[in-house]
Amino acid sequence: MLRFAPSPTGDMHIGNLRVAVFNYIVAKQLNEGLIIRIEDTDKERNIEGKDKEILEILNLFSIEYESLFYQSANLKYHQKMALQLMTEKKAFACFCSDEKLEELKEESIKKGIPFRYDNFCENLSDETVLNTNAPFTVRLKKPEQNIKFTDILKGDFDYAPFDIDSFIILRQDKTPTYNYACSVDDMLMDISMVIRGEDHISNTPKQIHIRNSLGYTKEIKYVHLPIILNAQTGKKMSKRDDASSVKWLIEQGFLPSAIANYLVLMGNKTPTEIFTLEEAIEWFKIENVSKSSAKFDIDKLRFINRKHIEMLDEMRLSKILGFADADIGKLAKLYLEETSTIKEIKSKIDDIFSQKNSLEGFEDEFKIIKESLKNATYFETYDELKNYVVEKTALKGKNLFKPLRFILTGTENGPNLADIYPFIKNYLGEIVR
């Protein structure tokens, strides 16, 4: 069983989506189920509606999953297992105040050493604990031996007990911390492989230690994916980068199929540059993903998006644009030489159907041509239409073609009118209204 575990604390960014895509592909390859686990235990940071937004995005990208869980629903298990750890003397109540811990941190900073808990509360007697009315957290005792694991991409890791420390597993309000909830849920859900970002590497030994302390012996395989860099700045993609938001990319008119294509392509050796997720399932190998940071280049995504728009069925493309006519889909593809997103294409189509009242520098010609078109009958070809307008207006050269193009397309340049006309001839009355 694999899992994708997003937090409803903000927009889904491309790093999250890449993790979701890779989990989906590998789950399909291993013929295992994929669980979506909404990690919502940090109530102060949760944003209402973001969980639904995450699920909508997964649906847009056709990422199928076996079941959906909310982490907060497992609170009773988190607390029960913490009590078990305390009973077995593997965890202890910590009464140290936030102020006291902050003092210890400041002392560590002054000494130039990493902050570690001083274990003041670890050896308190049961009687002392029972007679203390102050609020407390629950800390897991640091391991007695090194915690080792092998990452499929990055190789072997070895963490000493000092690195792991005696860390908090239950807060004062008795809700679980991230690492504790995550490791318990992975146990309960029988997770066999965890694919996530490399910013979680330092969490992995803590989660292994939690499971070891609970007597869980099943090995979980790990893949920690490199971070994604902005190709222009060379820095890690952040919330300030519009392109880091999947929602923003969709709003800009990038197709889910193209975005998924690019996320698999980034930092990876693939047999072809343009492909679908279904095709990727046939040849994708998680161990072949680059160990180095991947660079997100919006121009490369634009190129891939154009290719995916080209592959769309014309009727489907027209429906995406708000029509139900294959001719509009064919018309849309004419604009792919100068556009690369659905939003940009829609702007071109909207220009065609917009109200045009005049053209600066050609006001008289515009008026005469538009009047002739309003009285025109149906013409099968562009040449027939052009000859009719010439006959009715006696215009020629730029005095004919500039205003005629503007009336028919709403712009002064673009694809040849002869190429455009076959797809707009049935809408002529609406276009020249």
Side-chain angles (χ1 to χ4, degrees), residues 170-429:
L170 286 187
R171 304 181 184 95
Q172 287 185 355
D173 64 0
K174 303 306 171 279
T175 58
T177 56
Y178 167 76
N179 278 314
Y180 179 61
C182 183
S183 54
V184 168
D185 290 348
D186 285 346
M187 288 170 50
L188 295 174
M189 296 173 183
D190 194 31
I191 300 301
S192 58
M193 179 183 286
V194 171
I195 302 173
R196 58 187 178 188
E198 67 179 5
D199 52 328
H200 286 284
I201 285 180
S202 61
N203 293 326
T204 300
K206 293 182 178 181
Q207 293 173 14
I208 292 173
H209 177 42
I210 291 166
R211 293 196 299 272
N212 289 345
S213 300
L214 288 166
Y216 189 77
T217 57
K218 177 177 176 176
E219 180 188 3
I220 296 179
K221 295 179 180 178
Y222 283 95
V223 180
H224 290 94
L225 301 172
I227 61 171
I228 297 176
L229 303 177
N230 183 317
Q232 277 70 46
T233 66
K235 297 179 180 179
K236 181 181 178 181
M237 294 284 282
S238 69
K239 292 180 181 179
R240 296 190 200 116
D241 296 307
D242 287 335
S244 71
S245 168
V246 178
K247 182 180 177 183
W248 182 86
L249 289 172
I250 296 295
E251 289 172 348
Q252 292 303 304
F254 290 96
L255 296 174
S257 61
I259 298 170
N261 182 158
Y262 187 42
L263 291 178
V264 174
L265 182 69
M266 274 194 309
N268 199 3
K269 293 179 180 178
T270 61
T272 181
E273 192 171 44
I274 307 300
F275 49 82
T276 64
L277 270 188
E278 289 68 30
E279 290 168 342
I281 290 169
E282 299 298 318
W283 46 255
F284 179 81
K285 290 183 179 179
I286 192 74
E287 60 269 25
N288 286 349
V289 175
S290 173
K291 299 183 180 79
S292 303
S293 299
K295 292 184 178 180
F296 185 91
D297 185 343
I298 193 74
D299 291 330
K300 183 66 175 180
L301 177 57
R302 286 182 178 279
F303 166 77
I304 292 172
N305 201 56
R306 272 198 300 274
K307 294 297 183 182
H308 277 263
I309 293 174
E310 285 176 6
M311 294 191 300
L312 277 178
D313 172 79
E314 279 83 7
M315 179 60 81
R316 173 158 171 68
L317 178 54
S318 79
K319 288 180 178 179
I320 291 172
L321 293 166
F323 294 81
D325 182 352
D327 278 349
I328 297 297
K330 293 172 183 174
L331 172 64
K333 290 186 179 182
L334 286 180
Y335 284 97
L336 283 174
E337 286 189 14
E338 55 187 284
T339 64
S340 55
T341 70
I342 294 296
K343 184 177 180 179
E344 290 167 351
I345 293 173
K346 190 174 187 310
S347 177
K348 298 294 184 182
I349 304 299
D350 288 346
D351 285 341
I352 291 172
F353 288 93
S354 66
Q355 179 73 44
K356 303 102 174 175
N357 297 314
S358 186
L359 178 60
E360 186 177 353
F362 297 87
E363 290 83 356
D364 293 338
E365 293 87 348
F366 176 94
K367 185 176 181 181
I368 295 169
I369 293 173
K370 189 169 184 180
E371 197 60 37
S372 70
L373 289 173
K374 281 183 177 180
N375 297 319
T377 57
Y378 175 81
F379 294 105
E380 182 64 31
T381 69
Y382 170 68
D383 282 340
E384 289 175 323
L385 176 79
K386 180 184 66 176
N387 292 337
Y388 164 80
V389 173
V390 170
E391 181 183 335
K392 291 293 183 180
T393 66
L395 295 169
K396 58 185 178 179
K398 69 177 182 179
N399 289 332
L400 168 67
F401 293 111
K402 287 201 77 166
L404 179 59
R405 168 179 285 282
F406 187 75
I407 290 168
L408 294 180
T409 69
T411 60
E412 296 183 46
N413 47 56
N416 291 330
L417 287 179
D419 295 329
I420 291 175
Y421 182 74
F423 308 125
I424 65 171
K425 61 188 178 184
N426 293 326
Y427 298 95
L428 202 57

Side-chain angles (χ1 to χ4, degrees), residues 79-97:
Q79 294 175 338
K80 183 178 180 180
M81 291 184 186
L83 184 59
Q84 174 188 326
L85 290 168
M86 293 181 76
T87 302
E88 295 174 353
K89 302 297 183 182
K90 296 176 180 177
F92 59 93
C94 176
F95 297 95
C96 296
S97 65

